[in-house]
Amino acid sequence: MLYARLSVTKEESVSIARQLQSCRRYAEARGWTVVGEFIDNGVSATANRPEDRAGWAALLAATDFDAVIIWKVDRLARRVLDFLHADEALQERGAGLVAVEDPIDMTSPQGRAFAVMLAVFGEMEAEAIRARVRAARIQLLKDGRWAGGGTPYGYLPTANPTGPGWVLVKDPDRHPWLAEAVSRALNGTTVNAITTWLTTEGAPLPKGSVARRKSGATTWNRQTVNGILRNPVLAGMTPHNPGRAKSGKRVDPFAVFRDENSEPVVNDDLAIISIKEFAVLQKLLDARNTPQSRKRSERKPTSPFLSRVARCNDCDVFLCRGTNQQRPTLYCPSCRQTLSRSAFDPYLIHRLLTERGTEPLGTSTVEAHWIAAGSSDTARREILLTQLHSLRIRRGIVGRYFDANRVLLEWRQPETPAAGAQL
């Protein structure tokens, strides 16, 4: 087996194609037969453990291989524990790990010891890179310059008139819309109502957004407006939370750059409202942060099929039902990870009928009860619960479509009947 990974394509990066080419040559030199090639492109080893990557998970699901060839140790992992866990997973399958550019061979004790040392150095290098990036960002913020990233709505980056780098200024086209949206929110107007107003009036979308047209008007969505109203730049503050992991919990709107006295650093030239008004605005938004707090006419009904069924693997809480751009989703109320139900529900139903359809249930079978339930999601849920032991959803790679590897599913043992099930 061959495995290659690349997080970001840069001029100095070794491409996926070059990594695989080197691995093939190594296998040919040793007289090995390559039975499969797996890649993770655009995936950070620092932010994603090997078992959470689609390519590595697919490799582990394969059979009949004796070794995995990688280009370098850091292509597999940037943390020692991640490397050891990945190697342990291979050992359980009776396979070894070999790196082309690093003089290691996990099939020997000496090679294993040296590989651990290389993993330690890889982790040190990754931490050193993070430290340099954090230091550079802090210095930019101290100098009052823009540190890059997504440009907040209503503002523009421009060349620093007093020195090197860039600074933010108000966007003359979008800033009036931003100021009016903030004013309406402070006066109690809901996010949905502001979204409708921006769409109806044809307010320009954030730069980089794909404009969607509906009846000739630019369409905004609630998530975009909510994010704009939670940006601390509204009070002249700069978001700064370098310790937050990618795809982690919701950003704290008060995680901002602060001075040596822990007071927020405020740029009055960018501020629309005061810090006190910003705090009031966040409380108003939090009060309407759940679907139940919205007007009934604004709610979209969702299927009860998975109500209090699936749990977040990280937070151990039930996933809630919701919608994202009018599509049904499950989301964790703690860490905010989401899972689209458009693909997940059919996947789960297919597994239920394929793997448990012939199991006895009452005087009939699971499949027979399922057919009898028809389109009733409540009845279908009861059938699912009779067979389900555990259903947990783990965090996936940000930006990817449905990934079956996120689903941790365990069926009940046949001899263990579901307590209190009535069908």
Side-chain angles (χ1 to χ4, degrees):
M1 290 290 188
L2 309 185
Y3 175 76
R5 180 195 63 80
L6 185 65
S7 54
V8 180
T9 301
K10 297 180 181 178
E11 186 175 349
E12 64 273 15
S13 301
V14 177
S15 67
I16 293 289
R18 287 178 57 193
Q19 291 180 43
L20 291 176
Q21 184 182 47
S22 297
C23 292
R24 292 190 203 102
R25 289 175 178 172
Y26 183 92
E28 183 180 353
R30 297 194 62 168
W32 293 350
T33 301
V34 176
V35 296
E37 298 179 358
F38 299 87
I39 66 171
D40 282 308
N41 198 2
V43 179
S44 168
T46 303
N48 299 283
R49 298 171 298 182
E51 59 267 28
D52 292 334
R53 306 174 206 155
W56 183 257
L59 183 150
L60 293 181
T63 57
D64 298 328
F65 64 94
D66 301 311
V68 174
I69 305 175
I70 57 178
W71 183 63
K72 292 184 68 175
V73 170
D74 63 8
R75 296 303 85 198
L76 176 59
R78 285 278 191 177
R79 297 175 64 245
V80 176
L81 284 179
D82 290 346
F83 176 77
L84 294 176
H85 289 160
D87 177 53
E88 183 180 15
L90 292 179
Q91 289 186 62
E92 292 175 354
R93 290 161 175 76
L97 182 67
V98 180
V100 175
E101 292 295 319
D102 293 327
I104 70 165
D105 186 338
M106 298 297 283
T107 60
S108 67
Q110 296 84 356
R112 291 179 57 79
F114 189 62
V116 173
M117 293 175 59
L118 289 176
V120 170
F121 286 121
E123 183 171 339
M124 291 173 60
E125 179 187 7
E127 182 57 40
I129 292 173
R130 285 195 295 269
R132 288 196 298 269
V133 172
R134 285 195 296 264
R137 177 177 172 81
I138 290 174
Q139 188 59 50
L140 287 175
L141 297 179
K142 285 182 178 179
D143 294 341
R145 291 184 282 166
W146 185 52
T151 306
Y153 185 80
Y155 299 88
L156 285 173
T158 188
N160 184 7
T162 61
W166 299 77
V167 294
L168 281 182
V169 296
K170 294 178 180 178
D171 181 350
D173 295 329
R174 290 169 171 78
H175 199 270
W177 295 98
L178 174 64
E180 178 62 21
V182 172
S183 176
R184 289 176 179 239
L186 282 172
N187 288 328
T189 305
T190 65
V191 172
N192 280 345
I194 294 174
T195 303
T196 301
W197 167 71
L198 289 169
T199 298
T200 303
E201 297 297 324
L205 283 169
K207 290 191 174 181
S209 297
V210 178
R212 297 180 301 276
R213 296 288 173 176
K214 182 179 180 181
S215 301
T218 302
T219 303
W220 285 71
N221 64 66
R222 183 182 187 280
Q223 289 78 12
T224 299
V225 176
N226 185 71
I228 289 173
L229 296 176
R230 290 187 180 276
N231 197 320
V233 74
L234 300 178
M237 300 182 289
T238 302
H240 184 59
N241 191 3
R244 186 176 69 92
K246 185 180 293 186
S247 183
K249 295 186 178 181
R250 284 185 298 172
V251 177
D252 179 1
F254 289 96
V256 297
F257 183 63
R258 298 174 180 271
D259 60 22
E260 58 274 7
N261 297 318
S262 296
E263 293 295 327
V265 175
V266 176
N267 184 341
D268 294 326
D269 292 335
L270 302 180
I272 297 176
I273 55 179
S274 67
I275 295 179
K276 184 178 293 186
E277 290 173 321
F278 182 73
V280 172
L281 175 60
Q282 301 314 300
K283 289 183 179 179
L284 289 171
L285 295 174
D286 289 339
R288 289 181 171 267
N289 198 37
T290 61
Q292 292 75 15
S293 64
R294 303 177 201 161
K295 295 179 182 179
R296 183 174 296 276
S297 60
E298 297 174 346
R299 304 179 199 170
K300 184 176 179 64
T302 56
S303 165
F305 175 51
L306 293 179
S307 178
R308 297 185 67 81
V309 172
R311 286 182 178 270
C312 173
N313 193 52
D314 293 338
C315 307
D316 196 32
V317 298
F318 282 114
L319 298 182
C320 299
R321 293 180 286 156
T323 58
N324 184 7
Q325 299 182 2
Q326 299 185 352
R327 290 189 291 269
T329 62
L330 292 175
Y331 71 92
C332 175
S334 296
C335 70
R336 312 305 290 184
Q337 73 149 316
T338 61
L339 179 69
S340 171
R341 294 185 60 181
S342 300
F344 177 57
D345 282 26
Y347 165 82
L348 184 60
I349 292 171
H350 175 74
R351 286 196 59 179
L352 173 67
L353 297 179
T354 301
E355 300 174 16
R356 306 290 292 185
T358 59
E359 291 293 323
L361 184 60
T363 58
S364 185
T365 64
V366 170
E367 185 174 9
H369 278 284
W370 184 268
I371 295 173
S375 60
S376 173
D377 286 337
T378 302
R380 288 181 168 189
R381 176 180 179 275
E382 294 302 319
I383 297 171
L384 174 65
L385 290 178
T386 64
Q387 304 301 306
L388 196 62
H389 174 67
S390 173
L391 177 59
R392 307 179 75 88
I393 307 299
R394 62 183 179 183
R395 187 176 301 283
I397 300 173
V398 177
R400 289 198 178 266
Y401 293 102
F402 174 70
D403 181 3
N405 293 311
R406 295 180 61 188
V407 182
L408 306 178
L409 172 64
E410 293 184 26
W411 298 117
R412 290 182 184 271
Q413 296 299 319
E415 66 275 10
T416 306
Q422 295 182 355
L423 295 171

